[in-house]
Amino acid sequence: MSSKFLLIVVLFCGFLGKAQEANKEESVSVKKVASQSLNQKFSSKVLYAYQENSKSKIDDLFSYFQMLTDANLKTDLKKEVIDNIHLLFQNPNVLVIDFTSDSLNKIPLQQFIQKLLISEPISFSVSDEVTYDSVAYQSWNTNYIITKRKLGIVTKMNVTEKVFFYETSKQFGIDTKVVNATLLGAMN
């Protein structure tokens, strides 16, 4: 009886050791995937698709900025536009370029929105020529040219904007799925 007990203990210890080793290997594997940059995690075509999606968000952003300078836009629509702007950004306190002034200083997004609401009409267009660089673990930089028309004066400026990539859980009916999303960050 004691030899059977001893055999069971030895087998149990062996299985326990293998289980702990498997957990360590899995932990190392998870850490390795988490530290990969996006260009290591995705094929170049897949990453480019996410980057192109971020370009469309930038186009939307500047359309929203332009709408806020329209004095004829109703108050409830302005509130909806502001809400949509906030949904595009990772952080509501992010610094953006103040396109309402000639100095082009960086100010918090909320302050810029308030300045747009009292500004003369401004027309924005985003160039089709966009480049992406500085790909990291959860972000990349998007470089583009903004053309601003205000009071008949046309100004072009180069902008670099950080774009963040996230995996997030989304509810689809009773199911929860992990989806990938991009959010805009600071402008330089």
Side-chain angles (χ1 to χ4, degrees):
M1 171 113 154
S2 65
S3 64
K4 285 183 182 179
F5 178 72
L6 184 61
L7 179 64
I8 291 172
V9 169
V10 169
L11 287 175
F12 179 73
C13 288
F15 288 130
L16 184 61
K18 286 195 183 267
Q20 287 176 344
E21 187 176 314
N23 279 344
K24 284 181 186 176
E25 287 176 11
E26 185 176 315
S27 176
V28 168
S29 175
V30 167
K31 286 179 185 176
K32 191 181 234 183
V33 169
S35 66
Q36 288 180 327
S37 72
L38 292 173
N39 57 3
Q40 293 169 323
K41 189 174 183 179
F42 296 111
S43 72
S44 60
K45 288 181 181 180
V46 171
L47 180 58
Y48 184 73
Y50 284 115
Q51 290 170 330
E52 283 296 303
N53 174 268
S54 71
K55 162 65 164 82
S56 68
K57 287 186 176 193
I58 290 168
D59 289 336
D60 291 346
L61 175 67
F62 281 93
S63 294
Y64 293 146
F65 286 167
Q66 183 171 321
M67 290 172 72
L68 289 181
T69 65
D70 182 357
N72 297 323
L73 192 65
K74 295 181 180 179
T75 304
D76 58 333
L77 288 176
K78 284 186 180 187
K79 287 180 184 176
E80 188 173 329
V81 168
I82 292 169
D83 289 343
N84 286 335
I85 290 170
H86 286 127
L87 289 174
L88 291 173
F89 281 92
Q90 176 208 25
N91 177 352
N93 299 316
V94 67
L95 295 179
V96 297
I97 296 171
D98 182 2
F99 294 100
T100 62
S101 74
D102 293 332
S103 66
L104 302 175
N105 291 329
K106 292 179 211 123
I107 61 174
L109 176 63
Q110 195 56 41
Q111 183 181 352
F112 179 59
I113 289 171
Q114 295 307 312
K115 288 181 83 171
L116 286 171
L117 290 170
I118 60 173
S119 173
E120 298 87 12
I122 302 174
S123 172
F124 293 104
S125 63
V126 182
S127 65
D128 289 331
E129 297 174 27
V130 176
T131 59
Y132 310 101
D133 60 25
S134 302
V135 177
Y137 164 59
Q138 281 189 308
S139 66
W140 62 80
N141 287 336
T142 302
N143 306 294
Y144 54 93
I145 298 171
I146 287 294
T147 303
K148 174 183 91 167
R149 289 175 189 82
K150 180 179 176 185
L151 300 172
I153 300 170
V154 177
T155 310
K156 289 188 178 206
M157 61 208 79
N158 294 321
V159 178
T160 299
E161 186 158 3
K162 191 164 202 99
V163 177
F164 294 93
F165 179 86
Y166 289 103
E167 291 180 348
T168 182
S169 297
K170 249 190 176 174
Q171 191 75 27
F172 295 97
I174 59 170
D175 295 331
T176 301
K177 303 263 183 190
V178 174
V179 296
N180 298 318
T182 55
L183 293 171
L184 303 177
M187 293 179 188
N188 290 315

